[in-house]
Amino acid sequence: MCGIVGYIGQRDCTDVLMDGLEKLEYRGYDSAGIAVFEKTGIKTVKTKGKLIDMRDKLQKEGSPVGHCGIGHTRWATHGEPSDQNSHPHSNGRVTIVHNGIIENYKELKEFLTEKGYVFQSQTDSEVVACLLDYYYSERNPLRAIMETVKELQGSYALGIIFRDFPDRVYATRKESPLIVGIGENEYFIGSDIPAFLKYTKNYVLLEDDDIVCMKTDGIEFYDVHGLPEKKEISVAEWDVEQAQKCGYPHFMLKEIHEQPGIVGNTVESCCRDGVPYFDDIGLTDELIRGVKRVFVVACGTAMHAGIIGRYAIEGLARVPVTVEVASEFRYMDPIVGEGDLVIVVSQSGETADTRAGMELAQHRGAKTLAVVNVKYSAIARQADMYIHTLAGPEIAVASTKAYTAQISVMYLLAFRFAFARGTISEDRMRELTAQLLSAPGSIQRVIDRKKECQFIASKLVNADNLFFIGRTFDYALSLEGSLKLKEISYIHSEAYAAGELKHGTISLIEQGIPVITVATQANILAKTISNMEEVKARGGVIIAVCRKGTSFAEGTVDMKLEIDAPELDDMLVPLPTVCALQLIAYYTSVLRGIDPDKPRNLAKSVTTE
Ligand code: M6R
């Protein structure tokens, strides 16, 4: 959940490292640090806080001057955010940055303490620096790395510099992402491609246990046994602008605005001749017909996308779908196996629980289909089948455009499943696909009316508690709207199936408490309205998010936000509707003086359990 970078070349290393860390700050922002070879030795600057604090410190203390170094932005796991616990960690001869968790760090620490090592931090990472030093002899860094990784349990991406080799950066990884950027006589490492996209689009994906040595005069790759390896260079499809704010005050707002294009591109990329087409990834109609049950396994927002998928697939294709929180699925000994299709949904493709859930399903004989935004991620590469959501780099911690891309794919799967299994006709599949292709229009109309969302946000800004309610698709949206709002505004919020509120939680409704009611589904609108009345009768303030033209009895609704999407079937209305909920969350966060891109305690990619 941290971000690591490294550089060797002719540029100013501090600039390159800080640039890279800025692009990776979404991965953690509890502390930051860099270590750079200067003429007289390694200079390390690190501090608790965000990169902005690091920049201040560099200004005060002077930036290290050199052309080779490593850097880190931290999401604290072991030890509080502090200067001491910040990376890089060093013991003199070896300096490292680490992303991941060393599960056996206690045992290693005991062993190293006995050998005379003294620790400066409470981190698990520092043991790696000491262990590398312990195994470092005869000026052989490669052997030290090989011996060290044999002892490590857990996950790691490591950037390593050795005091004796001021012209080298070493790196290795296991179960944490690490990409090597290949420039003209310069090399980079990064936890994600945007870290070096400004300098090069060419990259090599490190596999688990690979070791790389980057030097001024070339680059060498080794396997776990120290044998040289040849690597294929890939070219990143992302542009530099995609990883920049481009004039928006926050990435989150930019990413919300990107949604019409992203939904359009993602849907088009999965269609052929106007219908969803998945034969190319191996998801043939024959395979679909053989599926007994579908599981969707994911976390957070991606799991909420799975709930939309459940309603769509079950509703249209009449196949049972279970949505499981990945952290539960992996440990609940699930009844899953042959004949089951497990759809894993993830923006990053690195989420530890989702990945473990997928591996468990594969192990038990189920087929796995990944719906993932990062093409080169572990989940995308390990799944039996893979659909690429074309959201581009999502930098804001709160997921927005990845979610709309994910639900677009879920709809397409539902259409194809239903057609393949004979529950809808080809004409209906075409009609629904055409509607989905037109969804960017209604999403844009919501975005164009963002002032109304801002107004609603201004009414929520002082709330201590609030609720989201809805039924079926609207319930799925309520879960997502509520998560988005609490994640970035820190207002306590709960989402309830509208009909469930009265089974206990309604006791929390009192004068003035805001209840955002998502009411877009005509078939259960009357029922939802009854639930609104129940809330209203107890003093709740009803903010209705509904289709344009929906009418309510006088006095039921305090505020109304209408979704103008006449071309969309009710099933597809979540696409524009969620944008309204995202905007409400965004503006509430901003009005409360919070940086929505970097909410407290969170990180974008959750590679720990
Ligand atoms: O990368 P993933 O989609 O697997 O991440 C899953 C969740 O951690 C993520 O969706 C999280 O809930 C977001 N911060 C929500 O905005």
Side-chain angles (χ1 to χ4, degrees):
M1 314 251 287
C2 305
I4 71 169
V5 291
Y7 176 69
I8 186 156
Q10 295 312 312
R11 297 175 202 268
D12 180 282
C13 186
T14 299
D15 280 354
V16 177
L17 297 179
M18 290 301 289
D19 261 2
L21 291 179
E22 212 159 77
K23 299 292 176 301
L24 298 184
E25 207 181 5
Y26 69 87
R27 303 180 69 88
Y29 32 84
D30 289 331
S31 69
I34 59 172
V36 174
F37 277 107
E38 293 196 311
K39 286 210 172 87
T40 49
I42 295 172
K43 178 167 175 175
T44 299
V45 182
K46 54 187 190 175
T47 185
K48 175 186 167 180
K50 296 186 176 160
L51 272 185
I52 193 157
D53 304 301
M54 178 68 186
R55 287 203 186 276
D56 268 4
K57 192 158 185 181
L58 287 171
Q59 194 128 43
K60 281 187 203 126
E61 293 186 2
S63 294
V65 179
H67 304 285
C68 175
I70 51 179
H72 189 268
T73 178
R74 177 169 189 244
W75 188 80
T77 55
H78 298 65
E80 55 168 9
S82 68
D83 286 1
Q84 260 180 346
N85 289 332
S86 307
H87 298 221
H89 292 288
S90 178
N91 53 38
R93 292 199 299 178
V94 188
T95 303
I96 63 122
V97 286
H98 168 222
N99 168 31
I101 287 197
I102 307 301
E103 286 166 2
N104 57 336
Y105 83 101
K106 279 199 181 123
E107 296 88 306
L108 292 172
K109 202 166 178 172
E110 266 169 37
F111 168 77
L112 289 159
T113 307
E114 272 170 30
K115 299 284 172 204
Y117 285 89
V118 177
F119 288 84
Q120 314 292 329
S121 75
Q122 291 118 39
T123 63
D124 55 336
S125 310
E126 197 183 350
V127 299
V128 183
C130 295
L131 203 58
L132 280 161
D133 182 78
Y134 175 74
Y135 282 118
Y136 179 58
S137 64
E138 295 166 4
R139 293 173 56 86
N140 191 337
L142 187 61
R143 196 165 58 211
I145 296 171
M146 282 157 48
E147 292 303 319
T148 298
V149 297
K150 272 191 217 159
E151 308 274 337
L152 301 180
Q153 286 167 20
S155 59
Y156 50 82
L158 294 164
I160 310 162
I161 51 178
F162 290 81
R163 190 179 58 192
D164 296 345
F165 294 91
D167 54 353
R168 290 186 195 182
V169 174
Y170 285 88
T172 186
R173 61 155 280 190
K174 193 182 143 217
E175 289 176 23
S176 287
L178 194 60
I179 330 279
V180 180
I182 314 282
E184 290 270 327
N185 301 319
E186 60 179 352
Y187 303 99
F188 308 79
I189 51 166
S191 301
D192 200 352
I193 289 178
F196 50 74
L197 199 55
K198 182 172 164 189
Y199 307 102
T200 181
K201 281 188 158 196
N202 297 332
Y203 70 91
V204 168
L205 216 51
L206 278 196
E207 301 290 343
D208 275 1
D209 302 319
D210 282 346
I211 301 170
V212 61
C213 170
M214 314 193 301
K215 301 196 274 192
T216 24
D217 58 354
I219 188 159
E220 289 151 10
F221 295 94
Y222 301 94
D223 71 7
V224 70
H225 309 293
L227 298 171
E229 279 191 309
K230 274 219 168 311
K231 288 283 178 188
E232 202 180 303
I233 297 181
S234 308
V235 182
E237 288 163 8
W238 292 347
D239 291 325
V240 180
E241 296 74 49
Q242 285 181 287
Q244 285 171 346
K245 284 188 200 155
C246 299
Y248 286 93
H250 298 103
F251 278 111
M252 183 176 174
L253 191 61
K254 176 187 173 230
E255 289 163 5
I256 290 172
H257 277 77
E258 285 171 353
Q259 292 179 107
I262 282 160
V263 168
N265 291 342
T266 301
V267 175
E268 272 170 30
S269 73
C270 296
C271 287
R272 217 176 259 187
D273 303 325
V275 292
Y277 176 84
F278 300 111
D279 278 25
D280 51 347
I281 60 158
L283 187 61
T284 59
D285 284 356
E286 196 190 336
L287 192 150
I288 290 171
R289 279 191 285 273
V291 169
K292 291 198 193 82
R293 293 177 310 171
V294 174
F295 288 83
V296 182
V297 176
C299 304
T301 288
M303 189 267 293
H304 294 158
I307 300 176
I308 295 278
R310 177 198 168 178
Y311 287 123
I313 297 171
E314 282 196 341
L316 284 176
R318 313 307 298 155
V319 192
V321 182
T322 310
V323 181
E324 298 289 2
V325 172
S327 52
E328 286 296 303
F329 182 78
R330 64 181 293 189
Y331 290 119
M332 68 191 215
D333 194 9
I335 304 171
V336 64
E338 251 176 70
D340 294 331
L341 175 71
V342 175
I343 306 178
V344 283
V345 186
S346 174
Q347 187 287 127
S348 62
E350 298 292 344
T351 304
D353 287 319
T354 308
R355 185 176 174 186
M358 179 182 76
E359 285 167 357
L360 179 124
Q362 283 176 324
H363 188 67
R364 296 195 174 180
K367 278 251 175 280
T368 55
L369 165 64
V371 179
V372 168
N373 196 40
V374 180
K375 194 175 167 180
Y376 48 84
S377 61
I379 294 176
R381 289 186 301 139
Q382 266 176 252
D384 301 318
M385 295 168 284
Y386 166 50
I387 298 174
H388 187 195
T389 49
L390 300 181
E394 191 179 62
I395 312 283
V397 164
S399 184
T400 54
K401 59 178 183 171
Y403 173 84
T404 40
Q406 287 158 356
I407 64 174
S408 302
V409 170
M410 286 296 166
Y411 287 129
L412 290 165
L413 287 170
F415 305 162
R416 190 77 218 188
F417 263 66
F419 170 69
R421 297 170 74 101
T423 52
I424 64 170
S425 66
E426 184 177 337
D427 282 354
R428 180 69 177 144
M429 170 169 68
R430 281 189 186 284
E431 188 192 338
L432 286 169
T433 310
Q435 284 190 25
L436 192 56
L437 282 161
S438 76
S442 56
I443 297 175
Q444 189 58 53
R445 287 196 289 279
V446 169
I447 294 171
D448 291 345
R449 287 169 52 207
K450 56 185 174 233
K451 284 256 172 301
E452 289 174 49
C453 300
Q454 202 167 9
F455 175 74
I456 292 173
S458 73
K459 302 292 168 199
L460 302 179
V461 76
N462 294 318
D464 293 323
N465 294 292
L466 60 83
F467 289 90
F468 282 77
I469 58 169
R471 286 168 180 262
T472 68
F473 285 100
D474 291 333
Y475 171 51
L477 281 180
S478 297
L479 289 165
E480 177 54 11
S482 174
L483 174 65
K484 211 89 311 173
L485 190 102
K486 67 184 139 196
E487 182 177 21
I488 59 172
S489 75
Y490 314 154
I491 298 174
H492 171 247
S493 163
E494 283 190 50
Y496 262 82
E500 179 66 11
L501 199 68
K502 58 184 166 298
H503 295 286
T505 309
I506 203 164
S507 65
L508 295 175
I509 302 293
E510 53 186 9
Q511 202 62 37
I513 198 156
V515 179
I516 298 180
T517 309
V518 189
T520 65
Q521 302 294 304
N523 62 333
I524 32 87
L525 185 62
K527 306 282 177 203
T528 306
I529 291 176
S530 304
N531 302 134
M532 289 158 100
E533 301 282 6
E534 289 156 13
V535 169
K536 192 72 201 150
R538 287 156 181 87
V541 173
I542 299 279
I543 300 156
V545 181
C546 55
R547 267 178 174 276
K548 191 172 174 189
T550 309
S551 55
F552 301 97
E554 217 187 308
T556 309
V557 164
D558 297 277
M559 277 168 269
K560 189 158 117 173
L561 183 71
E562 293 193 325
I563 306 297
D564 181 13
E567 67 279 38
L568 297 186
D569 189 281
D570 274 1
M571 176 200 308
L572 302 178
V573 172
L575 274 167
T577 309
V578 76
C579 298
L581 303 182
Q582 294 165 349
L583 284 163
I584 291 171
Y586 170 77
Y587 286 117
T588 309
S589 171
V590 172
L591 288 171
R592 284 168 69 92
I594 295 164
D595 176 355
D597 285 348
K598 299 187 194 96
R600 69 184 177 206
N601 305 339
L602 285 166
K604 180 98 189 131
S605 153
V606 187
T607 50
T608 57
E609 282 191 43

